[in-house]
Amino acid sequence: MNSVRPVSPERLPELLRLMPKAELHIHIEGSLEPELIFALAKRNGVALPYASVDELRSAYAFTNLQSFLDIYYAGASVLLTEQDFYDMARAYFLKAAADHVVHAELFFDPQTHTARGVSMETVVRGLHRACVDAQAGQGISASLIMCFLRHLSEEEAFETLEQALPYRELIVGVGLDSGEVGNPPEKFARVFARCRELGLHLVAHAGEEGPPAYIWTALDLLKVERIDHGVQAAKDPALMQRLARDRIALTVCPLSNLKLCVFPDLAQHNLRQLLDAGLAATVNSDDPAYFGGYMNDNFTQTFAATGMQASHAWALASNSFEASFAGQADKRKNLDSLAACFETFS
Ligand code: HPA
Ligand code: ZN
């Protein structure tokens, strides 16, 4: 579609909700709702430092990334069995289907679990089974991206990669997450080089709180194909040109940025600026159970706050399919169904 016809302001939220979309930046441990945290704590006999679901939820007042990560890792401590990982991902896929997500690439943090004695096999098999069922039941194509925790060492990342090798065929790529500032991409250059040799796709969080320099090194030293977040790129015009020229997708997460105080309010979010500068930005939920919304909440709230139009919706959804690690035939099919959806609104 070369030109997108305007859609009236009243109908725009409906278009945003109904259009097919891909989610490329979701930490599956960040989809763990407080109710499920309590249910799994009970099932597994894990003690929580919160008396109730409400008390836990009231702790979700974050000031920056680290203040969130402390609570996020505590929440993940209830996950012990393969069924726990399945149940968590299953709940996410049902929410994703309701938001017309037709393709999802799930981040998972194995080191959060292996450090507690949970095996890589338990984690990967539970998540993979949920991916298989999402395809069969909801028609969502889904794959797994294993993230290295950047606050840990290169040696620990190599050990994690070693543990994942028996499940290589169940993992589409690797990523880099956790506390960004002080843990630059170059710390993991050798691990990423090895992952590249293994044929894994490469992504990394960069420019969420960290400087544009981290985006440059993620591109040039890690050789990533997408940048997760990347919103700090707007501070560096040469970097903006590079990202636009090479069509490097940014997996932007507006409600996450709001809740972690990267932007003071959604009206000041730079998603529209990134798109208007020709960057391949996408919209994603990051850790929806913690940040107050899944995919459609991110779309509708950000459009309402920034005045973006149907043409931006088209760009965001088509970018999400083009930047995905799905096969060419799946990408084509999803882009065709996106076009068909927009036709019904013209
Ligand atoms: N940034 C870095 N690490 C993370 C995030 C995030 O937004 N969510 C879960 N781990
Ligand atoms: Zn993230």
Side-chain angles (χ1 to χ4, degrees):
M1 192 179 287
N2 296 324
S3 65
V4 177
R5 281 191 281 269
V7 171
S8 70
E10 305 81 62
R11 293 196 76 202
L12 189 55
E14 191 190 354
L15 171 64
L16 295 170
R17 282 193 284 269
L18 291 182
M19 68 179 184
K21 50 187 77 76
E23 172 140 62
L24 306 178
H25 187 159
I26 158 83
H27 302 263
I28 198 60
E29 294 91 345
S31 74
L32 209 44
E33 292 285 347
E35 289 78 7
L36 189 53
I37 291 179
F38 270 81
L40 295 178
K42 192 169 171 207
R43 181 156 101 187
N44 293 328
V46 174
L48 288 171
Y50 303 93
S52 66
V53 163
D54 286 345
E55 197 183 308
L56 175 57
R57 220 181 232 117
S58 65
Y60 293 1
F62 312 116
T63 50
N64 57 22
L65 175 59
Q66 192 58 50
S67 67
F68 154 70
L69 290 171
D70 295 340
I71 288 188
Y72 162 83
Y73 294 129
S77 70
V78 300
L79 297 160
L80 291 183
T81 68
E82 185 185 316
Q83 190 64 37
D84 297 340
F85 287 90
Y86 176 88
D87 290 345
M88 169 173 68
R90 181 81 195 136
Y92 164 72
F93 283 125
L94 295 179
K95 292 241 166 64
D99 282 358
H100 296 264
V101 170
V102 296
H103 177 79
E105 297 177 7
L106 275 50
F107 292 143
F108 68 107
D109 285 340
Q111 289 160 293
T112 306
H113 314 300
T114 53
R116 299 178 291 110
V118 177
S119 72
M120 181 70 80
E121 177 173 17
T122 297
V123 178
V124 175
R125 291 218 179 279
L127 296 178
H128 177 69
R129 187 156 58 87
C131 291
V132 170
D133 286 358
Q135 177 75 70
Q138 282 65 46
I140 299 176
S141 53
S143 48
L144 299 175
I145 297 178
M146 179 174 82
C147 286
F148 300 111
L149 297 182
R150 69 200 304 158
H151 68 275
L152 300 179
S153 68
E154 176 194 44
E155 188 187 351
E156 288 164 296
F158 267 118
E159 280 167 21
T160 302
L161 178 59
E162 197 63 34
Q163 290 163 0
L165 288 182
Y167 313 102
R168 163 68 189 88
E169 295 312 312
L170 306 186
I171 295 170
V172 75
V174 296
L176 189 62
D177 66 1
S178 191
E180 184 183 7
V181 174
N183 296 298
E186 47 268 39
K187 185 174 163 185
F188 298 93
R190 289 185 291 203
V191 185
F192 270 61
R194 179 74 191 116
C195 292
R196 196 155 171 257
E197 284 172 3
L198 290 165
L200 288 156
H201 284 290
L202 309 178
V203 300
H205 283 54
E208 178 183 15
E209 289 184 340
Y214 286 18
I215 302 177
W216 283 108
T217 49
L219 293 173
D220 292 335
L221 299 181
L222 300 191
K223 303 198 186 304
V224 299
E225 298 157 78
R226 301 193 300 240
I227 295 287
D228 297 312
H229 292 293
V231 290
Q232 303 299 336
K235 292 178 175 160
D236 181 339
L239 178 58
M240 292 285 279
Q241 279 183 7
R242 164 81 183 277
L243 293 167
R245 184 196 74 193
D246 292 350
R247 295 295 294 164
I248 305 287
L250 302 187
T251 62
V252 177
C253 308
L255 288 175
S256 165
N257 294 154
L258 177 68
K259 292 293 153 65
L260 300 188
C261 307
V262 174
F263 294 94
D265 56 60
L266 272 186
Q268 292 183 58
H269 197 286
N270 66 7
L271 177 62
R272 182 178 186 153
Q273 179 194 346
L274 298 172
L275 282 177
D276 290 347
L279 271 65
T282 63
V283 162
N284 306 270
S285 71
D286 207 7
D287 300 281
Y290 293 89
F291 298 149
Y294 287 76
M295 281 292 266
N296 283 355
D297 305 307
N298 272 277
F299 272 102
T300 54
Q301 291 184 39
T302 309
F303 272 66
T306 61
M308 286 190 289
Q309 312 283 325
S311 58
H312 297 103
W314 171 267
L316 290 164
S318 60
N319 289 343
S320 77
F321 294 130
E322 276 159 8
S324 76
F325 299 140
Q328 283 306 324
D330 274 340
K331 283 189 191 188
R332 192 69 261 153
K333 187 187 72 180
N334 288 330
L335 287 165
D336 286 348
S337 68
L338 180 64
C341 174
F342 269 70
E343 279 302 314
T344 68
F345 280 82
S346 63

